[in-house]
Amino acid sequence: MSESMVHPRLPGRLATSLRPEETHWPVAASEVGFHNDYLTLTVDTIVAPDQGRHDRVVVRPKGAVAVAAVDEQRRILLVEQYRHAQGGRLLEIPAGIMDVEGEPAQAAAARELAEETDLLADAWDELLTLAPTVGYSTERITVFRATDLRPVPDADLTVREAEEADMAQWWVDVDEAAAACLDGRIIDAKTIVAILAVART
């Protein structure tokens, strides 16, 4: 981080840019505690600059993508689905893991959009990348904005299973969606970040 001077009143320095320092603490040991087709969990022993050693549990999922699908009236598409780990139904943008070997991120996003919402998009742009749980996970999610939307042809519709079979889809005005992020109706991290990014652009 570039710095100029100390803050005139509070601890810390005034930054002139927002690029963090690139550094890496060495890993002295790593033990796999769990592995399946979706993620690996390791216990890593990291070495601090003072040579102290600290054990850290790291969840290592596959890459993921998400889609902010926006129509011509500036409405964003949300899916409502049951999330077992949260014990209830959440409002989210369509998303999924990159579980097809060699599939580019945008192609994975298009696949997830079609599978979860029966939509195709003719215009795509990469909106941002986020790391939703930096304390214990390597997960990064690339979020795309999809526009120029059209329905998937009937012959190509996906038969959804498990929680996805119980999904509902909702079109919400972007400003209303942003308000829902700030008042607690939407709590999913990738969805909040994507909605606020779309609202600002």
Side-chain angles (χ1 to χ4, degrees):
M1 186 88 73
S2 297
E3 59 184 37
S4 55
M5 62 182 70
V6 296
H7 188 283
R9 192 174 56 84
L10 301 171
R13 301 185 69 85
L14 301 177
T16 57
S17 75
L18 287 177
R19 186 174 301 278
E21 177 187 354
E22 292 189 15
T23 187
H24 179 77
W25 290 11
V27 178
S30 183
E31 179 182 347
V32 175
F34 176 81
H35 173 78
N36 68 10
D37 290 340
Y38 299 100
L39 59 83
T40 299
L41 184 149
T42 65
V43 180
D44 295 349
T45 302
I46 58 175
V47 182
D50 65 2
Q51 301 307 304
R53 296 188 173 212
H54 311 278
D55 289 341
R56 295 291 181 263
V57 174
V58 182
V59 179
R60 304 175 184 277
K62 294 185 176 181
V65 291
V67 184
V70 183
D71 73 3
E72 60 278 1
Q73 299 299 318
R74 208 163 174 266
R75 292 174 291 225
I76 190 166
L77 182 61
L78 302 178
V79 295
E80 179 186 344
Q81 66 174 313
Y82 181 75
R83 291 296 195 180
H84 171 67
Q86 292 292 320
R89 295 173 69 85
L90 299 183
L91 291 166
E92 307 174 41
I93 57 174
I97 61 172
M98 296 178 64
D99 54 357
V100 176
E101 188 69 30
E103 185 177 41
Q106 184 178 310
R111 176 174 52 80
E112 291 294 341
L113 181 67
E115 290 176 357
E116 294 190 2
T117 71
D118 305 328
L119 284 174
L120 302 173
D122 290 327
W124 291 86
D125 65 282
E126 187 173 323
L127 193 59
L128 51 86
T129 297
L130 69 145
T133 47
V134 296
Y136 62 86
S137 176
T138 63
E139 183 176 36
R140 291 195 176 198
I141 303 173
T142 303
V143 182
F144 293 87
R145 176 171 23 211
T147 53
D148 294 345
L149 304 166
R150 54 191 169 86
V152 171
D154 289 346
D156 298 328
L157 291 172
T158 298
V159 178
R160 292 188 277 272
E161 300 177 348
E163 291 92 341
E164 291 186 356
D166 190 45
M167 274 182 175
Q169 290 84 19
W170 303 101
W171 289 100
V172 183
D173 177 82
V174 168
D175 291 335
E176 170 60 16
C181 293
L182 299 176
D183 68 16
R185 287 174 287 163
I186 294 174
I187 63 170
D188 174 63
K190 67 182 180 297
T191 301
I192 292 172
V193 172
I195 288 171
L196 296 181
V198 169
R200 195 181 189 283
T201 57

